[in-house]
Amino acid sequence: MVHYSAEMLSPWWEESRPSDRPLYTDGVSYQAYYSEVGKAHHMGKDLTEVRSPQRKLVPDKVGLEKYEPTSLRGIAIKSKERAKHRFQNLYRCLNYRFLLSCWAELNKNAASGVDRVTAEAYKENLEANVKAQAKRLKQRRYRAKLVRRCYIPKENGKERPLGIPALEDRLLQLACAKILSTIFEADFVETSYGYRPNRSAREAIEDLQFNLQFGKYGYIVEADIKGFFDNIDHDWLLRMLRERIDDAAFLSLIRKWLKAGILDTDGKIIHPESGTPQGGVVSPVLANIYLHFALDLWFEKRVKINCRGNAFILRYADDFICAFQYRDDARRFYYELPERLANFNLSVAPEKTALLRFSRFHPGMERRIVFLGFETYWMEDSSGAVKVRQRTARKKLQGACRRIKEWIKENRHLKGREFIKALNRRLQGHYNYYNIPGNLESIWRFYFWALECAFKWLNRRGGKRKSFTWRIFNKAIELLGIAKPKMRIVNRQHRVFA
């Protein structure tokens, strides 16, 4: 009987014989590599799963490996480090796993498209549906569906057209929007706030107040782009995207959504020659990229450099405002702006474009500017110091009061706790946006208006009048816990537009 020692029984990949073969980097020998191969063979693994010693020693850089789909982290790193890099193989990122992760971020409460497929119905067979869509993308058989058009009323009495894509189109648009946002986030200027991560309209308002208060600016140019989303030039937009993207298959998806037919409310199909539908998931990112090249870079590299004094532009989506130190710089920009926008198939609304004096030496509400739902103006405080103040714009406050009145009138049949809970959601939504330092008075006006409307219409439930007094009403809402305005303190560092 043959006896085997422990060394003879040990697997051959664990043998530690000295090797005279040359070493890899950091002292890793060929023997270490072959040990990995033998171990994989013993465990029944495919030899392609074995990693070379070099790759084992280098930390993983997600998305930077050759011939592998680029991850969002890898895109962000490369976009920041290489400003002129053009990304390839982005189309391969649109795989099953990525689409499934985007499903978790998709708005499930949005209206359905032309196919009338809801999120609940799609979720019943989610994995199979996403796999089928990923397969169509891989086989280049994807076709964009028609966009369903609907209209929502505006505060000025007009209607705003919205385009609602089908559910699968929205899912794919979200995936592409995440990729586009990751690529161009490193390129966007500091004064751009719209549709960017970790930025909000309220931050834009607060930074505007800070820079006007402590900066050297005396003139403001207000401008409004007429029908911006409807007049985006498709050729210009694709040319802008090619500055950072070298992937024909990925760009073809963008073109399909731009050229997708629109099913109007009267049943007619419109084939757009320009514009991107408001309501599409990818439209905000595309609009931001368009104005980045058409407006932001022009201001930073041409207008600002040629100014005699300080100047800055603050933009949120298609709403922007420009501040200048000297009048001649402001006038030159005021007259050059229409020509610049005309090159990109855009135009300004003359009735909403103005050049005004805005200085601490001319305080008062007569020289106020309206931006993102707020009125900004210079005013003396109780101590006599002149400061930049902000409050809710008059039209926005009137519109909010009208909407809360209509809601209370339509929902006065709800029970007490249910009514207060639903009312608190609407009150808190108003507070979350408009509660900035110095605007507490407008917030309280909205709150007291909501109380008056609630007292009036709750007293008329069941055809009765004066079923309770103000004293009983106040006790009831205090007991049920109505949301009240609170002073908000800003403790973040403001962005300085030097």
Side-chain angles (χ1 to χ4, degrees), residues 174-389:
L174 177 59
C176 292
K178 290 171 69 67
I179 295 175
L180 290 173
S181 179
T182 305
I183 292 174
F184 287 94
E185 178 62 26
D187 299 341
F188 289 150
V189 298
E190 189 69 14
T191 55
S192 172
Y193 285 78
Y195 314 121
R196 297 182 61 184
N198 302 322
R199 296 196 178 210
S200 64
R202 193 168 63 181
E203 287 186 5
I205 287 296
E206 294 171 356
D207 291 344
L208 173 65
Q209 180 186 21
F210 181 84
N211 283 270
L212 292 177
Q213 176 71 51
F214 299 102
K216 298 179 180 179
Y217 305 102
Y219 296 89
I220 296 292
V221 175
E222 290 182 303
D224 183 77
I225 301 178
K226 184 188 300 183
F228 169 66
F229 282 89
D230 297 331
N231 293 299
I232 293 178
D233 188 272
H234 293 171
D235 294 334
W236 266 117
L237 178 58
L238 292 173
R239 181 178 175 182
M240 295 169 182
L241 294 175
R242 291 191 189 99
E243 290 292 319
R244 291 291 255 159
I245 298 175
D246 185 16
D247 189 341
F250 186 85
L251 293 176
S252 68
L253 289 177
I254 307 296
R255 179 181 289 275
K256 288 178 182 179
W257 294 324
L258 294 175
K259 300 297 184 181
I262 300 175
L263 181 62
D264 211 339
T265 53
D266 57 0
K268 295 182 179 179
I269 298 178
I270 304 172
H271 297 281
E273 296 295 333
S274 63
T276 177
Q278 288 183 264
V281 181
V282 75
S283 296
V285 182
L286 295 178
N288 211 18
I289 295 171
Y290 196 83
L291 282 182
H292 169 72
F293 286 95
L295 184 62
D296 296 347
L297 291 183
W298 171 66
F299 188 92
E300 294 292 333
K301 297 183 179 296
R302 293 291 181 88
V303 176
K304 193 173 181 178
I305 293 178
N306 295 326
C307 285
R308 186 163 58 95
N310 297 332
F312 77 82
I313 181 174
L314 192 149
R315 183 177 65 83
Y316 188 92
D318 58 329
D319 295 330
F320 64 95
I321 192 169
C322 303
F324 298 88
Q325 183 176 359
Y326 297 112
R327 179 179 176 83
D328 55 345
D329 294 334
R331 284 178 58 86
R332 184 169 60 254
F333 173 78
Y334 178 80
Y335 289 111
E336 290 179 356
L337 178 62
E339 298 179 4
R340 171 66 180 182
L341 295 180
N343 295 333
F344 298 90
N345 198 34
L346 301 176
S347 61
V348 296
E351 67 278 4
K352 297 182 180 180
T353 304
L355 168 62
L356 65 148
R357 185 80 163 99
F358 190 83
S359 169
R360 66 179 71 247
F361 304 108
H362 300 82
M365 291 295 296
E366 297 80 10
R367 299 176 183 268
R368 65 181 182 272
I369 56 178
V370 180
F371 184 63
L372 297 181
F374 289 89
E375 293 177 350
T376 305
Y377 55 94
W378 286 95
M379 186 65 69
E380 292 185 3
D381 59 8
S382 57
S383 63
V386 182
K387 295 182 179 180
V388 176
R389 307 292 296 274

